[in-house]
Amino acid sequence: MKLLPLQRFVRLFAWFELRRRARPAVGMSVGGKAALAAVVWWLGAGVAEAKNDWDPIDPAEWSRTQSEIDPEAHAEVILKRISYGNPNRESYFRVRIYDEKGVEEYAKIELEHRTGGRVRDLEARTIKPDGTVLTLEKDDIFKQETVKARGVRVTTTSFAPPGLEPGVIIEYRYEVYNGGAGYVNLLTFQESRPVRRCEYEVRIPPVGGYLRALFMNRAKEPVKPDSRNRYNFVMENLPALAEERFAPDFEGLGAAVLLYVSYSAGEDKDEYWRKASGVLAKETRAVTRTSKRLLRDELARILDGSEDAEAKLRKLHDYCRSEFINLNRESPEAVAAQADNPPEIDAVKDVLKHRMGDDQWINRTFVALAVAAGLDARVAKVADRQTFPMNRNITELYFITREVAAVKMAHGWLLTDPGATYLPVTMLAPDYTYAMTCIGDAKQEVTVNSPGTSPKLSSRRRVAHFELQSNGDLEGTVEEHLSGYWALAWRQNRDEDSAEEDRTSKEEWLRESLSDAEVTEYEAENKYAVLQPLVVRYHLKVPAFAERTGSRLFFSPAVFQRGQDPIFEAETRENRIVFPYLWSEVDEITITYPEDFKLEEPSAPSPVDFGRMGAFEVRLQVNPKTREIQLTRLWALGELAHESSRYPYLKGLFEARQEADNHTLTLRRQRK
């Protein structure tokens, strides 16, 4: 059980800001000081305070048999106390276990933290109702380093509380070195089970600026330090967090406070964003000061002089994402480039010289080349809509985390991100669509919302030819064509994987719904050739795919949807439904059935009308002469976001789609 997962907001904010190479601020503190902010957030300053003894347990606690917040809860957090010092963070938890399910939930406790900080002084104990105390031994604490999304390295410290059984209380406390307070502090109050009391104590380092607080999913309150210059926040009787699929990350946090240091003096938002655009305009001028000769020589390799603006844009974008090694990727070229004394890349000329750079410098090189080619290109920053509800009323540029390029075309601003490597010129990564964007301009504010994309641009087309055996086994070949966000996700997740690791990942994914599936002859075409379409081919065998009953075989021709869990299972919903992006799917499946079998009254599944929400169609054709069943399944998601009030409607539509996907055909053996 993970009690303290790294919140995605903090991970992404620190990730992008730390990747910014330290450089002087340009004119306005919201830009350059953000890099220092993130560094201080990790490093902190000062000396940690000593721990106190374990808190005494109220004798009345032992008479409780269930949670008053949620009588159905299997366990309950009695107290969650977090103290942000400098440079460390101290955490203390007291938990009551009510039944065997609660024992299962707490059988293993995992504490995640970024590598660079570390868990130390971990102590845990189990107290039984008769007063017996069992203490965790040091040898029963384990640590493992893993790599999460975007290459972030995370260390997991895990332990199993001793002597767990219904009725006990477990306590554990630990310190995260280099995990103390800094410029940005995200305080989350709720857990995946009820919390009776949650306390935060935060000591902000003396860094100047203005302290701001953003209250999310909870009431606002005055933010004032106590006599010891600590900021305290307390909440009580908190229900368990609802873990809901397709909920925006910031909504899924539950009650939270974002406590941060600002260098904006609270000026009018129009004036603030005018200055912010000015900051990015200075960044644009800085990157376009690259030697004209260097840029001219590079452009001669890319353009022939006959291109219009659209053609220039596409050629420059594709050149930057394919010709320069992206050091933020895990491709063989990127790994090799960083293996031995890699060069320092902190200017466009370095990218052009060494043919490599990180996301940011590849994007800046694109801006420099585009301006040299006569395009109106500028440095821009776009917010992450999943992580933070950014809008113009929040006057903090450093919450807009992704640096991209903006090009002024005849139809308006086009936002592009060649540093993302795996996306075409018109697409940003999913989290940066429909999000606030600030564009460099020396004279006026330029803020826009980044556009979304059509489901047709992110397509997965699967063509499969199977033979169904008389014993129920299914076997054949599959070819998958992936584009847009389908290809992006595949390539990002498998950057550093070998062909065998790719094959294993595909097999494990298929086994989630097709138990005992076997994948062989696996091949990924154009895995690293980013300008070419991604095609995956493999041989698939599914033992006992069809159910045998006497002389009949029962099976669902929608092979890849068989056995999948429902999209939405809960009866009610708290958070909005926001899908990651719009996408489309096409499955073209041919199944040849055994010679001595015949279909019994074949029928197609009932249609499902998704309206504006999407498009869904299943077509079924049968050729008795060739013994072939041909299924064509079409799906496209048409709307991205939905209020929770629409949940019953959406749930019903997806249940109807699942029923259509599970439509069963029957084969009967013919008597000889």
Side-chain angles (χ1 to χ4, degrees):
M1 184 204 73
K2 293 183 180 179
L3 286 175
L4 294 174
L6 282 177
Q7 302 296 354
R8 188 165 177 268
F9 172 85
V10 177
R11 185 172 70 240
L12 288 182
F13 173 78
W15 174 241
F16 286 125
E17 292 299 341
L18 280 173
R19 274 183 12 210
R20 300 182 56 177
R21 300 190 182 277
R23 57 186 183 278
V26 280
M28 185 180 179
S29 57
V30 294
K33 289 186 178 179
L36 176 62
V39 173
V40 173
W41 181 67
W42 288 115
L43 299 182
V47 181
E49 297 181 355
K51 290 182 180 178
N52 298 318
D53 292 333
W54 296 100
D55 288 5
I57 297 175
D58 183 353
E61 180 61 46
W62 299 111
S63 64
R64 291 178 181 263
T65 59
Q66 63 182 24
S67 167
E68 293 181 0
I69 302 170
D70 178 7
E72 300 297 320
H74 308 290
E76 180 179 42
V77 178
I78 300 171
L79 176 63
K80 170 184 175 180
R81 179 188 295 143
I82 312 293
S83 177
Y84 280 90
N86 306 118
N88 307 329
R89 181 181 76 245
E90 295 181 358
S91 299
Y92 169 70
F93 284 80
R94 173 175 287 170
V95 180
R96 184 69 188 275
I97 306 297
Y98 289 118
D99 56 26
E100 290 291 350
K101 182 67 174 176
V103 171
E104 293 177 14
E105 292 176 355
Y106 278 86
K108 182 180 181 181
I109 296 175
E110 295 182 336
L111 312 172
E112 283 189 353
H113 58 92
R114 268 177 171 258
T115 301
R118 66 178 185 273
V119 168
R120 66 184 190 183
D121 298 335
L122 171 61
E123 298 177 281
R125 64 177 192 162
T126 301
I127 306 100
K128 296 187 176 184
D130 63 5
T132 302
V133 178
L134 304 174
T135 304
L136 178 71
E137 299 294 335
K138 297 296 184 183
D139 292 343
D140 295 327
I141 301 172
F142 304 93
K143 294 187 178 182
Q144 180 180 6
E145 185 178 81
T146 56
V147 179
K148 297 283 184 169
R150 304 176 194 262
V152 177
R153 294 189 177 274
V154 172
T155 297
T156 301
T157 301
S158 63
F159 65 94
L164 277 192
E165 61 185 30
V168 303
I169 291 174
I170 59 174
E171 293 182 300
Y172 58 97
R173 60 189 181 189
Y174 59 94
E175 185 175 64
V176 178
Y177 180 72
N178 281 345
Y183 279 63
V184 180
N185 308 278
L186 180 64
L187 316 181
T188 59
F189 294 83
Q190 291 175 263
E191 297 285 331
S192 55
R193 52 205 40 82
V195 177
R196 275 191 233 162
R197 182 177 175 87
C198 179
E199 303 172 357
Y200 275 97
E201 180 186 78
V202 184
R203 183 172 60 187
I204 300 294
V207 293
Y210 306 90
L211 188 66
R212 308 270 193 240
L214 179 64
F215 292 83
M216 295 182 284
N217 307 313
R218 59 158 292 174
K220 294 182 179 179
E221 63 181 70
V223 180
K224 297 180 180 179
D226 61 17
S227 59
R228 299 183 303 153
N229 204 32
R230 268 76 161 172
Y231 294 86
N232 297 281
F233 301 87
V234 177
M235 293 190 75
E236 295 182 328
N237 300 322
L238 298 164
L241 269 178
E243 297 181 4
E244 297 178 326
R245 192 175 186 184
F246 300 124
D249 288 350
F250 63 88
E251 293 183 15
L253 293 175
V257 175
L258 184 66
L259 196 64
Y260 62 96
V261 176
S262 169
Y263 289 91
S264 165
E267 64 261 53
D268 175 78
K269 62 185 178 183
D270 294 335
E271 177 64 12
Y272 178 88
W273 290 111
R274 184 190 66 78
K275 290 181 179 179
S277 290
V279 169
L280 297 179
K282 289 183 179 180
E283 299 278 12
T284 302
R285 288 197 295 273
V287 301
T288 55
R289 291 195 188 106
T290 305
S291 163
K292 289 183 171 58
R293 180 184 60 80
L294 276 178
L295 296 173
R296 184 176 64 249
D297 291 347
E298 197 72 28
L299 286 174
R301 304 179 186 179
I302 310 169
L303 307 176
D304 60 21
S306 64
E307 298 89 352
D308 61 11
E310 294 280 352
K312 285 181 182 178
L313 176 67
R314 293 181 184 278
K315 284 188 175 182
L316 290 171
H317 178 275
D318 286 349
Y319 185 85
C320 287
R321 72 186 180 114
S322 61
E323 292 297 320
F324 303 129
I325 297 172
N326 192 319
L327 299 178
N328 292 128
R329 305 281 85 81
E330 298 290 343
S331 64
E333 294 84 359
V335 172
Q338 299 182 80
D340 299 312
N341 194 25
E344 187 74 15
I345 307 295
D346 57 8
V348 171
K349 62 182 177 61
D350 297 328
V351 178
L352 298 177
K353 177 181 178 180
H354 299 290
R355 318 306 290 175
M356 65 179 69
D358 62 11
D359 291 358
Q360 183 187 60
W361 279 111
I362 289 176
N363 282 338
R364 291 185 166 205
T365 301
F366 167 84
V367 170
L369 289 169
V371 171
L375 297 175
D376 184 358
R378 308 181 190 182
V379 172
K381 295 189 76 176
V382 58
D384 182 335
R385 63 173 167 83
Q386 282 277 12
T387 297
F388 190 68
M390 188 65 194
N391 58 68
R392 290 181 71 255
N393 295 321
I394 302 173
T395 53
E396 300 296 346
L397 182 59
Y398 63 63
F399 285 150
I400 304 183
T401 53
R402 179 69 177 182
E403 189 173 295
V404 298
V407 184
K408 196 168 189 179
M409 307 297 288
H411 54 77
W413 288 105
L414 186 145
L415 303 176
T416 190
D417 189 358
T421 303
Y422 299 135
L423 288 173
V425 65
T426 58
M427 297 179 73
L428 299 178
D431 292 346
Y432 305 109
T433 58
Y434 306 101
M436 181 178 172
T437 305
C438 186
I439 299 172
D441 193 288
K443 298 181 180 179
Q444 61 185 349
E445 171 195 342
V446 181
T447 54
V448 299
N449 276 338
S450 58
T453 62
S454 162
K456 294 180 180 179
L457 293 179
S458 296
S459 172
R460 179 181 64 189
R461 177 172 173 256
R462 290 183 288 209
V463 180
H465 298 272
F466 294 117
E467 288 191 6
L468 182 63
Q469 308 297 326
S470 58
N471 65 354
D473 291 355
L474 186 77
E475 189 168 1
T477 60
V478 183
E479 184 171 287
E480 299 184 6
H481 297 253
L482 307 176
S483 68
Y485 296 140
W486 283 106
L488 172 70
W490 192 97
R491 282 174 162 140
Q492 282 185 335
N493 291 334
R494 293 176 172 82
D495 252 350
E496 56 185 327
D497 290 352
S498 65
E500 175 57 23
E501 288 172 326
D502 287 349
R503 185 203 67 79
T504 301
S505 296
K506 171 60 72 174
E507 187 173 78
E508 290 175 350
W509 182 80
L510 287 168
R511 285 183 175 183
E512 292 180 7
S513 56
L514 299 170
S515 58
D516 300 322
E518 301 171 13
V519 173
T520 57
E521 301 175 26
Y522 185 91
E523 175 192 6
E525 182 180 315
N526 300 322
K527 179 175 182 177
Y528 299 112
V530 297
L531 301 185
Q532 303 301 318
L534 177 61
V535 182
V536 177
R537 301 182 183 91
Y538 53 92
H539 186 91
L540 175 63
K541 181 178 180 180
V542 186
F545 173 79
E547 180 184 353
R548 294 182 61 189
T549 303
S551 61
R552 288 178 171 85
L553 292 174
F554 301 92
F555 66 97
S556 300
V559 174
F560 299 104
Q561 286 73 38
R562 196 199 76 168
Q564 289 188 350
D565 293 332
I567 297 292
F568 301 112
E569 297 186 78
E571 294 301 319
T572 59
R573 177 93 180 188
E574 293 184 11
N575 297 305
R576 291 185 304 144
I577 303 98
V578 181
F579 294 99
Y581 50 84
L582 303 181
W583 77 89
S584 61
E585 303 172 18
V586 179
D587 285 345
E588 299 171 357
I589 298 173
T590 301
I591 300 175
T592 303
Y593 54 86
E595 188 173 3
D596 54 343
F597 280 78
K598 182 180 179 180
L599 275 170
E600 286 189 341
E601 300 179 1
S603 62
S606 301
V608 182
D609 183 7
F610 274 78
R612 293 185 306 171
M613 166 70 191
F616 178 69
E617 181 182 1
V618 177
R619 297 194 294 264
L620 196 66
Q621 293 181 317
V622 178
N623 187 332
K625 292 183 179 180
T626 59
R627 308 188 319 280
E628 288 183 337
I629 301 166
Q630 294 181 329
L631 177 135
T632 302
R633 178 185 183 272
L634 308 173
W635 159 252
L637 181 68
E639 292 184 335
L640 193 79
H642 307 267
E643 296 300 323
S644 58
S645 59
R646 296 194 71 196
Y647 177 68
Y649 169 70
L650 294 178
K651 183 174 185 291
L653 286 177
F654 280 100
E655 286 175 346
R657 191 188 74 164
Q658 185 174 32
E659 183 177 348
D661 285 335
N662 290 329
H663 182 74
T664 301
L665 298 179
T666 305
L667 287 169
R668 183 172 183 174
R669 188 186 296 271
Q670 300 301 296
R671 293 180 181 178
K672 296 182 180 179

